[in-house]
Amino acid sequence: MGTRISRTGRPLLTTLSGAILISLYGAPPRLAAAEPVQPDAGAAIETESAAAPADAAAPAAGDTDTLGEIVVTYRQSLVKALEAKREFTTQTDVIMAEDIGKFPDLNLAESLQRIPGISIARDAGEGRQISVRGLGPDFTRVRINGMEGLSTTGGTDSSGGNNRGRGFDFNVFASELFNRIEVHKTASAEVQEGSLGATVDLHTPRPFDFDRFTVVSSGQLGYNDLADETNPRASALISNTFFDGRFGALFSVAYSDRSLTQEGASTVRWDNGPSSGGFSPTSPFAAANLPTTFHPRIPRYGVLEHDQERLGITGALQWQVAERTLASLDLLYADFDAKRTENFLEAVSFSRSGASGKPQTIVRDGVVSSNGNLVYGLFDDVDVRSESRYDELTTTFKQANLNLDHEFSDSFRMNALIGHSRSDFDNPIQTTITLDRANTDGYSWDYRGNDRLPAIDYGFDVRDPANWNFANGLSEIRLRPNSTANLFTNQQLNFAWEAAPSFTLKGGADFKAYKFATFEARRASEVSVPNLPAGTSLSDLTRLLVFGNNLDLPPGADTSFLIPDIDAFARLFSIYSGQGTFTVSPSASGAIGNNRQVKERDRGGWVQGDFETSTFGIPLRGNVGLRYVRTEQESTGFAVINSRPTLTTVEREYSDTLPSMNLAWDLNDDLVLRFGAAKVMSRPGLGNLTPGVSVSVSGGNRVVTGGDPFLDPFRAKTFDLGLEWYFAPESVLGAAVFYKDIESFVQTSRETRPFNTSGLPVSLLEGTGASPTDDFQFNIPVNTPGGKLRGVELSYQQPFTFLPGFWSHFGTILNYTYVDSKIQYVTSSGANSLKTDLTGLSKNAYNATLYFEKDRFSARLSTAYRNGYLTTVPGRNNNDIEGTKGTTNVDFLATWKMNEHLEFTLEAVNLTDEYNDQWVSSSGDRSSVYDHTGREFFIGVRLRN
């Protein structure tokens, strides 16, 4: 049999990360010393298979199970990841499959947060998106098997809602589907443009990764202590080669079913006394109307229930066409189905203008704190609402890509890739129904005992159907089906010529076509509801919801309340018939702005030289390159022309020339000094590129959002300097400093003012229940100069083999990241506003893992911390900024290996039951969202042949 060619164009058995798959699936002894895979196609620099000293990968005696001659331990996976990191010229971090399989990670984002510089944002208790070195999800490109892709799904409003942007939702995928993750923090010409933060490479296994028939399976049963539900998870992989190893096939599948509950309190932000027309002038407590006094806009208790089903499938075929030619086909399918209910008991008067809103509400008594918060208030004429929302959400992701690797000679090789990916998010049912009670007396809130979880007295029995109304013009039935599609087509052709033993010239061309399209439909009037038929009462259309069993609620707080039974309403009124008053249309006033699309066609070419030389006798390896890309953009949306919404398409083009350089000096056998510099770019957010405008009204939440298809991309100059000291086997002590000069930036200016002052036609409000004099929040994207971002990463990894006896079986992985930035924010008029941090940036973040490995037992405890970060600048509703408090997540995993084929696992996730704590105002620290999802525990079994 001829030598197989890897995706890097190098002999397969010297490049595939055998130890990764060994640790998960087993493999023959001759793969035990395989070299880690290098980055992009053709990107590898030829090296010997062992970069570290021969004893660097050898665990302490007695620490491992031996399957034949193959060592399968967590420590071994760390060694292989460390070797791969050392061999990269760029600033790159690697996670091998053993890390993912062994960490208590619900998805890929949970695994990525273990890497220095990466923090994650969660939805429904699990990681959804990542930030890298202070730059948010829209600045990070994700490639799957070498091809760019984008998966999006829908979250709660407090965690970003439906994703209509460029940020990758990692919770679509099961981590079991992947065998390696690489995070490239510095740019090189051979890596496609589009990232200011990092390029994340996700890799699925291939059949030629194994030289024998391989079968692996695992099953877990989980339990959530807040939902009191059990959650199954399972995965399996089968792989084999045929025809003397010249053809291979692999199939893997992963499935999980997850139920959880999210409980807490929220306010939909705070606003000041004069907002929405101010409180009634007859209010005895006059201080409530001061511009320095702030109150909750929609104070409420909430219970959210999530049911999630995740299915992932990978397939791979490889054919060794000839000795120097290898064809590889990678297939990926993911289906993420969710059903979510959101139930709130809330007061809506405080965010409404007009005679029936805040101006009608009387403040009987109150207490204002030193930072201007109305922490206690007693009110009359308050409108109280019970709101229930039900969503059915599905994300389907499909990707197929074909790679062809061919060696024309020992020194000249080619890689070609063609592929297509599609992510379809569908939210066919998004239904909200409200029950209302107008002009309630004796309503109160009290934050004095707990500034996050108030005592709310609604002034009546919230469990009695006779105390509620379902009335036309007051209550609402919202039907808002929506969808989002993201399509990529990639074509790449790359060449590499080893012109000399120490120099390789590379180059290539690539083409990428991308299309984003989003759809939404609504009723013509959401406040038009039918009367209850004779003989039907609200007791037939409601149910009791138990609340706060796991919250430290103040004494006397309601622990159950009446909510609409959406299924009962649907049966009674046929709300999904699509007929009559329940007809939904994309041309409805509140929906029209969310019917838009963006198309991009990117053509690029690149050239790069990889070299090995020496400076002053010090070995130096590196690359210098140049990438040119031209972007053709076409944006379509409903613009207001002559006071009428008109479907409009705007086209534009722009180009970027992006030089890059990466250097790595091997100062001695243990020290590596790295330097990187590059110009980088990231395209504007998709929602900002629409030529149109959207109007959204949900109860007291009123927003107008505009776009600008002529926004310039984000552009920056980046510099990195790092030093790594491999001071002992399996060990590293590293430090890196990074600097980004962001020359062009896109931010959203925000302003609150009456709708009738905007110049937009009043017809955009038809059917929303809002009036032209209501205050709306206006969001407009604008280009600004940007600012500086700088930071430091520190990392330490070592097994404690230097300690005696029992203690020698321990080890640790630690990292810390500090990031600072100053961005000049502007007002809606373009005047300078605040100069502060980037949104999504945590100044301080750390990860710590303490592990133990001996014989058949291993365990580890992991902690991930990020401190508070800003989410919205400038803030809304007269607040300067908005943000999220810091989080500390603690996870645990223990494994017992019965023998070489069978092992048992115990996992615990979110042991501290961390709360999601969102706030507004730098001085007031006013709670916006405060909820939690509970702890999760899993027991499992793994089988391998």
Side-chain angles (χ1 to χ4, degrees):
M1 182 182 70
T3 304
R4 299 177 188 156
I5 307 299
S6 76
R7 69 187 78 181
T8 64
R10 301 169 61 191
L12 182 78
L13 296 181
T14 62
T15 58
L16 284 173
S17 51
I20 307 170
L21 298 155
I22 292 167
S23 60
L24 275 181
Y25 313 118
R30 66 192 183 90
L31 280 181
E35 186 184 39
V37 174
Q38 302 297 322
D40 303 321
I45 299 174
E46 297 286 355
T47 60
E48 295 299 321
S49 62
D55 61 346
D63 280 7
T64 67
D65 281 3
T66 302
L67 313 183
E69 298 180 12
I70 302 169
V71 179
V72 182
T73 71
Y74 170 68
R75 278 175 55 185
Q76 278 292 84
S77 72
L78 297 181
V79 170
K80 293 302 177 182
L82 205 60
E83 289 176 352
K85 174 182 173 66
R86 182 168 184 172
E87 287 305 304
F88 275 105
T89 301
T90 56
Q91 192 74 257
T92 299
D93 287 287
V94 182
I95 300 177
M96 299 299 195
E98 180 77 5
D99 287 331
I100 297 175
K102 294 292 188 177
F103 272 120
D105 301 323
L106 292 174
N107 61 13
L108 294 168
E110 303 283 344
S111 301
L112 283 163
Q113 70 174 333
R114 315 296 176 189
I115 288 177
I118 293 184
S119 298
I120 69 173
R122 290 178 170 82
D123 177 58
E126 65 176 355
R128 180 182 182 184
Q129 296 183 328
I130 68 170
S131 297
V132 182
R133 290 179 165 180
L135 293 165
D138 280 359
F139 300 107
T140 298
R141 258 178 83 248
V142 177
R143 302 188 301 183
I144 302 175
N145 294 322
M147 195 185 84
E148 184 172 0
L150 176 59
S151 66
T152 64
T153 187
T156 62
D157 289 342
S158 63
S159 61
N162 295 351
N163 183 356
R164 294 186 173 103
R166 296 186 191 269
F168 193 94
D169 287 339
F170 288 90
N171 56 341
V172 172
F173 301 98
S175 62
E176 294 91 337
L177 298 176
F178 300 86
N179 70 342
R180 186 174 75 259
I181 301 176
E182 297 160 358
V183 180
H184 307 283
K185 298 176 183 175
T186 56
S188 56
E190 63 191 343
V191 177
Q192 286 178 311
E193 79 294 333
S195 166
L196 255 64
T199 296
V200 177
D201 276 323
L202 309 177
H203 297 277
T204 59
R206 287 176 169 174
F208 284 0
D209 295 349
F210 312 89
D211 266 15
R212 62 171 178 170
F213 175 64
T214 301
V215 178
V216 181
S217 63
S218 67
Q220 290 179 297
L221 187 64
Y223 172 76
N224 183 283
D225 67 350
L226 182 56
D228 194 22
E229 295 278 354
T230 55
N231 303 312
R233 300 177 69 187
S235 64
L237 177 146
I238 184 169
S239 178
N240 204 3
T241 57
F242 311 91
F243 308 113
D244 297 325
R246 300 189 67 85
F247 182 81
L250 179 146
F251 174 83
S252 73
V253 60
Y255 171 83
S256 66
D257 191 353
R258 183 170 179 254
S259 298
L260 72 152
T261 299
Q262 192 171 343
E263 286 190 338
S266 59
T267 63
V268 196
R269 302 178 300 279
W270 295 49
D271 211 337
N272 66 5
S275 65
S276 301
F279 290 107
S280 170
T282 64
S283 296
F285 189 73
N289 267 324
L290 294 175
T292 55
T293 299
F294 282 76
H295 62 83
R297 294 179 66 248
I298 309 178
R300 60 189 185 178
Y301 292 142
V303 180
L304 288 72
E305 296 168 318
H306 305 260
D307 288 304
Q308 301 173 340
E309 195 173 17
R310 183 186 287 112
L311 173 68
I313 299 172
T314 73
L317 299 175
Q318 287 187 284
W319 179 28
Q320 190 74 53
V321 181
E323 182 175 356
R324 293 180 179 269
T325 306
L326 173 67
S328 301
L329 175 67
D330 296 296
L331 305 172
L332 174 62
Y333 172 85
D335 185 81
F336 182 49
D337 293 331
K339 296 179 180 179
R340 183 178 67 237
T341 61
E342 302 180 38
N343 302 291
F344 298 103
L345 183 61
E346 58 196 9
V348 295
S349 297
F350 307 105
S351 61
R352 286 178 167 175
S353 56
S356 61
K358 186 176 173 182
Q360 187 184 36
T361 302
I362 298 171
V363 189
R364 294 292 183 192
D365 193 12
V367 174
V368 179
S369 66
S370 59
N371 53 6
N373 298 341
L374 187 63
V375 293
Y376 168 73
L378 177 63
F379 308 88
D380 286 345
D381 294 326
V382 174
D383 297 339
V384 179
R385 168 172 284 183
S386 174
E387 176 182 318
S388 186
R389 171 174 160 177
Y390 174 69
D391 285 81
E392 292 184 1
L393 315 103
T394 299
T395 294
T396 302
F397 182 91
K398 302 174 184 177
Q399 177 173 311
N401 55 284
L402 178 65
N403 276 272
L404 181 65
D405 293 282
H406 179 70
E407 290 184 349
F408 295 98
S409 66
D410 291 341
S411 61
F412 187 59
R413 59 185 180 268
M414 174 207 74
N415 167 263
L417 179 148
I418 183 170
H420 177 76
S421 71
R422 178 173 185 136
S423 173
D424 288 293
F425 167 71
D426 193 19
N427 190 182
I429 296 179
Q430 185 189 111
T431 301
T432 303
I433 297 179
T434 72
L435 305 178
D436 291 87
R437 178 185 171 94
N439 301 326
T440 299
D441 293 340
Y443 173 91
S444 69
W445 69 62
D446 193 343
Y447 283 88
R448 290 175 293 183
N450 186 331
D451 66 355
R452 260 48 196 168
L453 198 61
I456 300 178
D457 187 339
Y458 293 89
F460 66 99
D461 185 356
V462 296
R463 299 167 296 178
D464 187 353
N467 289 329
W468 293 98
N469 295 299
F470 180 72
N472 186 44
L474 177 65
S475 301
E476 298 184 42
I477 296 180
R478 304 177 200 151
L479 304 176
R480 300 179 177 181
N482 63 91
S483 63
T484 300
N486 290 276
L487 294 83
F488 276 97
T489 297
N490 278 259
Q491 300 170 21
Q492 300 176 28
L493 183 62
N494 303 316
F495 296 92
W497 174 42
E498 295 180 9
S502 59
F503 181 76
T504 300
L505 180 64
K506 301 177 183 178
D510 45 65
F511 168 79
K512 180 176 66 181
Y514 170 64
K515 180 180 179 180
F516 158 83
T518 183
F519 162 85
E520 184 172 321
R522 296 190 185 187
R523 300 176 62 210
S525 174
E526 295 181 332
V527 294
S528 174
V529 302
N531 296 321
L532 297 184
T536 301
S537 69
L538 285 181
S539 60
D540 303 315
L541 300 172
T542 55
R543 62 187 178 93
L544 275 177
L545 181 73
V546 177
F547 165 75
N549 289 337
N550 291 276
L551 285 172
D552 187 18
L553 285 173
D558 289 299
T559 57
S560 64
F561 56 92
L562 203 72
I563 61 170
D565 185 335
I566 290 180
D567 289 339
F569 273 93
R571 289 190 299 268
L572 179 63
F573 295 123
S574 300
I575 64 176
Y576 300 125
S577 65
Q579 298 178 358
T581 186
F582 295 113
T583 300
V584 295
S585 169
S587 60
S589 298
I592 194 168
N594 281 329
N595 291 276
R596 60 182 190 269
Q597 68 178 28
V598 176
K599 295 180 181 178
E600 291 174 346
R601 295 168 64 90
D602 309 325
R603 293 177 171 86
W606 62 278
V607 62
Q608 177 176 302
D610 291 3
F611 57 88
E612 294 181 355
T613 184
S614 63
T615 55
F616 304 104
I618 299 173
L620 169 66
R621 48 195 165 92
N623 61 61
V624 176
L626 185 72
R627 170 172 283 273
Y628 173 83
V629 61
R630 185 167 190 82
T631 301
E632 299 174 7
Q633 172 191 297
E634 179 184 293
S635 304
T636 301
F638 284 89
V640 177
I641 300 175
N642 296 326
S643 299
R644 295 179 60 85
T646 305
L647 189 64
T648 305
T649 297
V650 177
E651 298 179 353
R652 70 168 301 197
E653 294 183 4
Y654 56 88
S655 61
D656 289 271
T657 301
L658 306 171
S660 62
M661 177 176 65
N662 292 279
L663 305 174
W665 286 271
D666 295 307
L667 302 179
N668 57 37
D669 291 342
D670 301 326
L671 280 175
V672 179
L673 177 66
R674 302 183 190 274
F675 174 77
K679 291 184 69 174
V680 295
M681 62 84 73
S682 183
R683 296 178 177 89
L686 298 169
N688 292 336
L689 292 176
T690 178
V693 63
S694 66
V695 177
S696 176
V697 178
S698 296
N701 209 27
R702 293 161 162 79
V703 180
V704 175
T705 302
D708 181 358
F710 293 101
L711 289 172
D712 289 329
F714 300 87
R715 294 187 173 102
K717 296 176 182 176
T718 68
F719 302 91
D720 290 75
L721 181 66
L723 182 64
E724 299 156 13
W725 179 26
Y726 298 86
F727 59 91
E730 309 176 43
S731 306
V732 66
L733 181 63
V737 294
F738 52 90
Y739 174 82
K740 300 179 188 292
D741 184 0
I742 303 173
E743 299 172 339
S744 66
F745 192 72
V746 179
Q747 62 177 270
T748 300
S749 68
R750 294 176 174 86
E751 182 182 16
T752 300
R753 55 191 172 102
F755 185 88
N756 59 7
T757 65
S758 67
L760 294 172
V762 176
S763 61
L764 293 177
L765 300 182
E766 291 177 359
T768 65
S771 69
T773 57
D774 285 351
D775 284 342
F776 274 72
Q777 174 195 309
F778 288 80
N779 299 333
I780 306 296
V782 292
N783 274 121
T784 60
K788 317 295 185 185
L789 183 147
R790 54 182 64 84
V792 178
E793 290 177 355
L794 304 175
S795 60
Y796 166 65
Q797 175 179 323
Q798 185 176 23
F800 297 158
T801 52
F802 56 89
L803 295 177
F806 171 79
W807 303 105
S808 66
H809 303 294
F810 284 89
T812 191
I813 307 169
L814 306 173
N815 63 68
Y816 166 77
T817 305
Y818 172 81
V819 187
D820 184 43
S821 75
K822 288 294 179 286
I823 296 294
Q824 180 64 64
Y825 292 92
V826 299
T827 65
S828 57
S829 64
N832 287 346
S833 176
L834 296 173
K835 189 171 186 179
T836 187
D837 292 339
L838 278 168
T839 56
L841 181 149
S842 291
K843 283 184 177 292
N844 298 279
Y846 68 78
N847 288 274
T849 296
L850 178 67
Y851 66 85
F852 175 88
E853 241 182 44
K854 184 179 188 298
D855 300 328
R856 300 183 182 275
F857 177 76
S858 65
R860 51 191 167 273
L861 185 70
S862 299
T863 299
Y865 167 81
R866 67 178 301 186
N867 69 355
Y869 55 95
L870 302 181
T871 55
T872 304
V873 182
R876 294 166 285 183
N877 305 109
N878 298 299
N879 296 282
D880 58 346
I881 55 176
E882 301 173 25
T884 297
K885 296 277 190 180
T887 57
T888 302
N889 287 79
V890 180
D891 305 321
F892 173 78
L893 170 66
T895 301
W896 173 264
K897 295 180 180 179
M898 182 66 68
N899 53 45
E900 64 184 59
H901 304 293
L902 176 65
E903 67 181 39
F904 300 94
T905 60
L906 171 65
E907 292 187 52
V909 179
N910 190 23
L911 281 169
T912 56
D913 189 14
E914 196 72 2
Y915 275 70
N916 172 30
D917 189 345
Q918 300 178 23
W919 52 269
V920 298
S921 176
S922 58
S923 59
D925 187 23
R926 300 162 187 137
S927 178
S928 182
V929 176
Y930 185 73
D931 59 28
H932 70 140
T933 55
R935 304 169 183 83
E936 294 189 84
F937 304 90
F938 294 87
I939 57 173
V941 60
R942 296 170 182 267
L943 297 168
R944 60 165 59 91
N945 68 335

